[in-house]
Amino acid sequence: MKTFLRVIALMCLLVGMLFVLPQGDISAATTTSTFTHTRVTTDSYDDYYPQVSGDYVVWQGDTYYEDPSSSISRTADLQYEIYLYQISTGVTTRLTDNTNDEYSPMIDGDNVVWRGNGDGDYEIYHYAISTGVTTKVTNNSANDSFPQIDGDHIVWNIDTGGDYEVYLYTISTGITTPVTANTGDDYDPRIDGDHIVWYGDSDGDEEVYLYTISTGVTTKVSDNTINDESPRISGNYVSWGQYEDGQPEDAMLYNISTGVTTEITFTSATDPYYLRIAMDGDYVALSAGDDGYQEIYLHQISTATTTRITDDAPMDVDPEIDGNFLVWEKSDEIFLYEIDQDSTSQLSTFTGFVNNYRPQVEGSYVTWYGSTGGGNPKEILLVGINIPTAPELISPADGTSTAVDTSPTFEWNAVTGAVSYTFEYSQDDTFATSTTATTSNTTYAPGELAVGTWYWRVNASNGTTVGEWSETWSVTIFDPIGTPSPRFPTNNWEIT
């Protein structure tokens, strides 16, 4: 009898545990990654829709509240401007400063694009980070909107008065090319490498199209009686959603090289009521739901397998993916799934920030905008994944002066995960002109240094991401004897 009672008690305990255990992500693995949190903006106005690429973050700021750095006198109207933040230096640059509205910034490498309404209609602008030069890409009486950029090319939508078309601009040549010219509407162009995708309704219903830049050839990717919308492209593949009567039906995948289209299947038995797609490399990330909630799915193209990443009550939305990292928003929080570790982590742990929206990921960085609630301004937030820490300098000690060792060896502490270090030295404490060297060691000997004060610093790289610079230390090389100055006989003295 006692044994029977123990069994009953154990069963009750297990049942109770089933009801109190939190419903979370399917992934239960613990990450081994480290995260670096940076609050990019701390101003009194709203900052929205950040994008990240390499060492830079770009966003639009609402300068309804007076910005003391602006030379323009603001009115009571909303004024959106474009800002650029360099991650490695922490420096923010204002790219626009006018009485117009500037929206929808995008960034890729050295290039930033956005749309602005300086001429009474919207035009496309391009900014080169390396030169600081802004170019007006379009100059027409139509509305040019929603630019996308990849490498040397910009694509966007142009509205010529109820007729939407797709245009292409080549940065290196300054040449603009109309990609579409028909009586239908063409929307939401995306670009990756040599290809542009969009969806258009010139055939009566919405279909997906593909344009090859190098050949100028347009391919009709879908051809059916339902609506195919919002395509995304990465490498050799295009993915999009099919809709009927305004409701999502299926997620589709198209192989550019073979021309074969397949359906991405879900674990659920019915069609999703919501669909949002992101792509990168071998993966398609999807937000879809049919159980009253939206969940995150990850489809691997090479294996044709779909994995359900989340399985919880809150709405999981706005997925974005780059390389090994998948991010999304859930209940005003930002989450990260690491594919190689099969682990999920919450990134939105900034103190006081209760609202977090629209995550973007590129390389080792995730950015989004958030607020502390209560009508407080929205700010730009940034998280670095596995960013190497700054090396600690060892010797020569800061402020050292020497006339003996004019060829010093510089040394610093090793950084966990680092595979190389960049050593920089200069006689200018701002390093405006400097010499750099890369080494896998924690010492470097630059050779004999000229007389004067030398400044030096080091950063670490893990092979994909470069960390912040160390402190700047100095060493002074001097000549203890000095240069002799003859006193007698004087120059050109003659004996007579």
Side-chain angles (χ1 to χ4, degrees):
M1 183 66 179
K2 290 182 179 179
T3 301
F4 175 75
L5 291 176
R6 289 193 188 100
V7 171
I8 294 297
L10 179 59
M11 291 177 65
C12 292
L13 177 61
L14 291 173
V15 170
M17 290 177 64
L18 289 175
F19 283 102
V20 301
L21 281 175
Q23 297 255 335
D25 298 325
I26 290 177
S27 170
T30 301
T31 182
T32 59
S33 296
T34 58
F35 305 115
T36 305
H37 290 69
T38 302
R39 180 173 170 175
V40 175
T41 61
T42 56
D43 47 51
S44 60
Y45 50 86
D46 286 330
D47 299 290
Y48 297 98
Y49 311 123
Q51 300 284 329
V52 60
S53 179
D55 194 32
Y56 293 93
V57 180
V58 66
W59 69 92
Q60 68 184 52
D62 167 11
T63 56
Y64 171 79
Y65 301 99
E66 186 70 23
D67 181 355
S69 70
S70 173
S71 61
I72 301 296
S73 177
R74 301 291 165 187
T75 66
D77 296 327
L78 297 179
Q79 303 289 343
Y80 291 96
E81 305 292 349
I82 306 300
Y83 294 83
L84 179 73
Y85 173 82
Q86 187 173 20
I87 299 170
S88 60
T89 64
V91 174
T92 298
T93 303
R94 186 174 186 150
L95 302 189
T96 64
D97 191 6
N98 51 53
T99 57
N100 309 317
D101 285 328
E102 322 287 342
Y103 300 101
S104 311
M106 301 296 292
I107 183 170
D108 183 62
D110 188 49
N111 300 300
V112 181
V113 295
W114 66 88
R115 62 177 176 129
N117 67 348
D119 294 334
D121 62 333
Y122 286 103
E123 306 289 354
I124 304 299
Y125 295 84
H126 165 253
Y127 176 85
I129 299 173
S130 58
T131 64
V133 174
T134 299
T135 302
K136 189 176 182 180
V137 173
T138 63
N139 190 15
N140 52 49
S141 58
N143 282 316
D144 302 274
S145 300
F146 308 115
Q148 299 284 322
I149 185 167
D150 185 69
D152 193 35
H153 296 106
I154 304 169
V155 295
W156 69 94
N157 258 141
I158 179 171
D159 175 10
T160 58
D163 179 27
Y164 290 86
E165 305 292 348
V166 176
Y167 273 65
L168 167 70
Y169 176 81
T170 303
I171 298 171
S172 59
T173 64
I175 295 175
T176 299
T177 304
V179 176
T180 65
N182 52 55
T183 57
D185 289 324
D186 299 283
Y187 302 105
D188 198 14
R190 302 290 171 135
I191 183 171
D192 185 63
D194 193 36
H195 296 105
I196 303 169
V197 294
W198 70 93
Y199 70 98
D201 62 3
S202 59
D203 289 344
D205 67 324
E206 293 169 341
E207 304 291 354
V208 172
Y209 295 86
L210 173 76
Y211 177 84
T212 303
I213 299 172
S214 58
T215 63
V217 173
T218 298
T219 303
K220 190 175 183 180
V221 173
S222 65
D223 191 3
N224 50 54
T225 58
I226 62 177
N227 289 325
D228 300 86
E229 300 178 2
S230 304
R232 299 295 182 261
I233 183 169
S234 180
N236 189 49
Y237 289 91
V238 180
S239 185
W240 70 94
Q242 288 188 335
Y243 295 77
E244 190 168 13
D245 298 325
Q247 296 298 317
E249 291 289 329
D250 300 298
M252 309 304 294
L253 184 69
Y254 175 79
N255 185 318
I256 297 174
S257 61
T258 66
V260 174
T261 299
T262 55
E263 180 183 343
I264 296 176
T265 57
F266 296 89
T267 54
S268 56
T270 59
D271 295 322
Y273 71 86
Y274 173 89
L275 193 60
R276 169 77 184 269
I277 295 173
M279 294 185 71
D280 186 66
D282 192 33
Y283 291 98
V284 182
L286 310 101
S287 174
D290 63 356
D291 55 0
Y293 301 102
Q294 292 160 208
E295 306 293 353
I296 301 297
Y297 294 83
L298 185 66
H299 178 81
Q300 186 172 23
I301 299 171
S302 59
T303 62
T305 56
T306 303
T307 303
R308 185 168 180 168
I309 303 301
T310 64
D311 188 11
D312 48 25
M315 306 288 277
D316 298 276
V317 297
D318 295 332
E320 296 291 345
I321 186 169
D322 186 73
N324 183 51
F325 303 127
L326 166 63
V327 296
W328 68 93
E329 174 194 332
K330 175 175 69 176
S331 300
D332 294 342
E333 303 292 353
I334 306 301
F335 288 82
L336 165 74
Y337 176 76
E338 297 175 77
I339 298 171
D340 63 348
Q341 297 190 41
D342 186 29
S343 64
T344 299
S345 306
Q346 181 177 333
L347 297 184
S348 52
T349 58
F350 288 86
T351 302
F353 280 80
V354 295
N355 304 119
N356 301 274
Y357 309 103
R358 298 289 184 88
Q360 299 290 322
V361 58
E362 203 262 15
S364 297
Y365 290 99
V366 180
T367 185
W368 67 91
Y369 70 93
S371 77
T372 56
N376 292 321
K378 297 174 179 63
E379 307 291 357
I380 304 301
L381 306 172
L382 179 72
V383 170
I385 307 168
N386 295 323
I387 307 301
T389 58
E392 295 181 3
L393 306 186
I394 297 178
S395 67
D398 188 25
T400 295
S401 297
T402 178
V404 178
D405 187 6
T406 59
S407 301
T409 295
F410 296 85
E411 184 179 3
W412 55 90
N413 280 334
V415 172
T416 301
V419 297
S420 65
Y421 302 89
T422 298
F423 174 83
E424 184 175 28
Y425 62 107
S426 173
Q427 289 193 289
D428 177 359
D429 61 359
T430 68
F431 296 92
T433 58
S434 66
T435 303
T436 60
T438 301
T439 178
S440 58
N441 302 316
T442 56
T443 60
Y444 185 74
E448 187 168 355
L449 298 177
V451 170
T453 298
W454 291 87
Y455 302 91
W456 63 288
R457 60 184 183 179
V458 185
N459 65 25
S461 170
N462 59 15
T464 58
T465 306
V466 176
E468 295 183 355
W469 287 107
S470 67
E471 294 181 290
T472 297
W473 281 11
S474 68
V475 57
T476 299
I477 308 297
F478 67 93
D479 185 345
I481 300 176
T483 302
S485 177
R487 299 179 61 187
F488 186 85
T490 60
N491 190 31
N492 296 323
W493 186 74
E494 296 183 1
I495 299 176
T496 57

